[in-house]
Each structure stands twice: as structure tokens, then as C-alpha cells.
Amino acid sequence: MLLPFLPADVYGESVQKTTNQTQASEPKAADIFAARRHLYESIGQMTQVPWYRLAAIDQYERTITRAHPKDRKHPERLTGIFLTSPAWRGWLNPDETDQHPQSILFFNGKGRDGSGDGIADPNNDLDVLYSMASIIQQYGNKSEDFGIGLWEYYHNSRAVQRIQQFAKLYEHFDNLDLFGHAFPVPLGTNYSYRSTWGTKRSWGGYRIHEGTDIFAPHGLPVRSTCYGIVEIKGWNPFGGWRIGIRDLNNHYHYYAHLSGFDKGVRIGDVVTPGQVVGWVGSSGYGKPGTQGKFPPHLHYGIYRDSGLHEWSFDPYPLLRHWEQEERSQRNKKSK
């Protein structure tokens, strides 16, 4: 059973309540993840596309819809995949509501019947995911074939990279629920922070501060806040020794001014919430190795990907939430 009545907006946040539903009647996030996993595995068996690759495409599409909700609006369903009406039925198809698989195929449309009911419904989860799997599967089942298929569909190297990263996470953990978080430095240690996003910066030219500064002693461990993939690691003239991690919400987590990195963390590695990735320092504002131009602290920023561009947003509310959540969980375990 694919539970088509479940809302599809699960991104690691709580399922939103409606005024006409009680909390007891609302579907749980675990049920939604289970229904999606069943959907991915069902279509995977039909098309020989591994479930984690289908899950990665679906999650990427979901993040792009969050960035462009008006352009990609569709009825509530399990899948986040969006195909325009012309792409679904075929660009030269005169029938704008065509759901007949044979005529859609004749006009080179992408829509397929995955449910076996003889209809290619653009809002049926089985049909939508089967259609996407059919597009990707025609290029082959090897890892490199998957990348080619993604490129031929999206023609966007950023999309290809993101989906491959997501697939790696899903395959590694064999789990869809990878949205837990941790505070970037250990609780109970000596640190302080406040909202500093958007303040002016002058070194290197006028710019705004795109993150929150967490002041802490030199050498304090810096931890991954999320399940993610290490995307960048090395020196940046502004951020000094820095590391960047991509999560399944398509958020880029940026840790800067480090004194060094954990030797076991490399570009392309999978990381988990709370895993040490480096240490607080005062590096940056110059050539590689520049230190001490400001007090030791961690610059922590988050960037959202729109598909073609990235922009920063204030991480302070999330930091406060993760700090409180981790403290609450730790207190429960100590009882």
C-alpha cells in the first residue's frame, strides 16, 4: 500500500498540522518515509534503477520545488518529481489533458503508466516515478550511466552533483530519515554566539556577514551539524581553513576560520551529526596559513540552492533550535 493520502512535505521538519486534523489523526513522518521507500523499491524492481537513486532524484526535485513553489506547483502527493504538462504529454501533442500512454509516446512525451491502469496520470505517484525512472534507465544501470542520464535530463552539472551526493547518502545509510542535527560545537563547553548575519564586513571589499560567529577557545572541536557529504575542504582567503558539507535539504553548511581538519575527513566522505570535522581557530583574511587577525571563533553559514544559484540565510534560529534540542535529548538520557 503506497498511502497516497500522506502529505509529501517531509524534509526533516515536523509534518505540518491542519486546522481540521487532530495530532492523533495526522500521519507520522515515519509512515511517510516508509511509504516512499516502498514506492522507490516497487519502481526499482520494475525498472532496475536502485531505490536510492530514485530517492535521490525525488528528494532533489523536492528541494527545487521548495525554492520555486509557484513555478512547480502540483497536488499533494508522495513524490516531489515535477514534469511540466507539455513535457508529460509531448510538446507537439494538441491534447493538453492527454493521459493515454500510446498517444503520449507518439508525441515523445515523458508520461508513462506505472500503475498498470492504462492511464499515464501526472499526479499518480507510481506513474510519475516510473516515468522518471524510464528516462534515466535508458542510459544504463552503471554509476557512470546514471550520471549521463541525469545530465541528459537536467543539463545542469549542479543538479547531477547534488543527486549523486543524495544517492550516496541513501545508499550508505540504507535509510530515508537522515534529517537529524547537532550543534556545531560540544554543549557544555565555553562558547558564545548571537545573531550576526547581515552585518557589514570590510576586508576584501564591502560585503555582508553571511553567517553566525560562535566564539570559543582555540582548538575546540567543530562538529558536523547534519548528515551530509563533504563537498569542499581547504583554504579560502576570507574563511581561512574551511570545510563545506551538503545535506539532503540541499543546504550547504559552511565552517570557516578553522585551526585544522580532522585527518579522517576527506572530500566526498559521508558525515553524521556530531562528528568532529575540525577545530576552532582564527585562520583567514590572507594567503594560506594566515592566522590571528581576529579572536578565535567558528564562522558557521548555511546556503540554499535554487538549482542555478545559492544564497545564504540566517542560521541563528536553526542554531538555537539545534542547541535546545540536543540539550533536551541529553537531559532525557541522563534521567
Side-chain angles (χ1 to χ4, degrees):
M1 184 177 180
L2 293 178
L3 305 179
F5 56 85
L6 292 174
D9 58 338
V10 174
Y11 306 93
E13 299 144 343
S14 299
V15 178
Q16 294 182 352
K17 299 178 182 180
T18 65
T19 56
N20 297 325
Q21 288 180 312
T22 63
Q23 187 172 359
S25 65
E26 291 176 353
K28 297 180 180 179
D31 295 330
I32 297 175
F33 287 128
R36 284 182 183 155
R37 177 68 181 260
H38 179 62
L39 175 64
Y40 302 147
E41 291 179 341
S42 297
I43 298 301
Q45 291 177 354
M46 296 169 61
T47 62
Q48 303 307 306
V49 178
W51 76 268
Y52 50 85
R53 292 179 182 170
L54 297 175
I57 296 171
D58 194 30
Q59 180 61 18
Y60 175 75
E61 288 272 321
R62 197 170 287 113
T63 67
I64 297 303
T65 296
R66 293 186 73 191
H68 305 280
K70 294 181 179 180
D71 299 334
R72 296 168 56 91
K73 189 174 182 180
H74 60 76
E76 198 170 80
R77 46 181 165 83
L78 279 174
T79 53
I81 293 170
F82 174 80
L83 287 89
T84 64
S85 179
W88 183 268
R89 69 178 190 270
W91 289 90
L92 298 178
N93 191 335
D95 184 355
E96 295 183 358
T97 61
D98 192 1
Q99 295 186 5
H100 296 90
Q102 294 304 319
S103 57
I104 289 175
L105 183 63
F106 177 81
F107 286 103
N108 295 316
K110 305 297 185 184
R112 299 290 184 269
D113 172 24
S115 62
D117 61 359
I119 297 174
D121 183 352
N123 290 308
N124 178 289
D125 287 306
L126 284 166
D127 293 354
V128 171
L129 192 61
Y130 179 75
S131 299
M132 177 59 75
S134 298
I135 295 170
I136 300 300
Q137 193 273 338
Q138 62 183 311
Y139 296 95
N141 293 324
K142 296 180 181 179
S143 179
E144 55 268 31
D145 298 331
F146 181 54
I148 293 172
L150 293 174
W151 169 256
E152 292 296 333
Y153 181 74
Y154 289 100
H155 295 285
N156 183 341
S157 59
R158 295 165 69 96
V160 175
Q161 181 189 36
R162 304 294 184 263
I163 293 171
Q164 289 176 326
Q165 290 170 329
F166 292 1
K168 186 173 183 177
L169 282 167
Y170 285 135
E171 182 181 17
H172 179 86
F173 291 103
D174 193 25
N175 193 352
L176 289 176
D177 188 4
L178 302 173
F179 297 96
H181 291 91
F183 194 67
V185 297
L187 300 188
T189 58
N190 183 22
Y191 66 85
S192 65
Y193 69 105
R194 61 184 179 84
S195 180
T196 55
W197 188 87
T199 57
K200 294 181 180 179
R201 289 293 184 270
S202 59
W203 191 89
Y206 174 77
R207 55 198 172 90
I208 68 166
H209 190 239
E210 297 184 344
T212 293
D213 288 336
I214 302 175
F215 289 89
H218 191 281
L220 188 71
V222 171
R223 311 184 301 169
S224 172
T225 58
C226 62
Y227 292 94
I229 299 288
V230 177
E231 191 169 295
I232 290 177
K233 175 185 174 185
W235 181 266
N236 177 293
F238 293 92
W241 299 118
R242 55 77 164 100
I243 190 167
I245 297 171
R246 179 80 52 183
D247 73 9
L248 284 168
N249 280 322
N250 208 352
H251 290 165
Y252 177 76
H253 302 250
Y254 176 71
Y255 312 75
H257 306 317
L258 303 177
S259 60
F261 308 107
D262 185 281
K263 293 182 179 179
V265 177
R266 300 176 178 85
I267 293 177
D269 281 358
V270 170
V271 293
T272 59
Q275 179 179 337
V276 174
V277 295
W279 294 272
V280 171
S282 59
S283 62
Y285 283 20
K287 62 183 180 180
T290 302
Q291 304 274 347
K293 289 194 172 183
F294 38 75
H297 68 278
L298 168 67
H299 170 95
Y300 176 77
I302 306 182
Y303 295 76
R304 177 175 285 119
D305 185 7
S306 68
L308 295 175
H309 307 284
E310 283 190 314
W311 70 94
S312 68
F313 62 95
D314 188 359
Y316 180 79
L318 287 175
L319 288 169
R320 292 286 294 174
H321 174 70
W322 298 337
E323 182 184 35
Q324 294 169 4
E325 187 177 57
E326 187 175 347
R327 182 174 287 115
S328 176
Q329 292 175 353
R330 189 175 63 174
N331 291 338
K332 288 180 180 179
K333 291 181 180 179
S334 63
K335 291 182 179 180

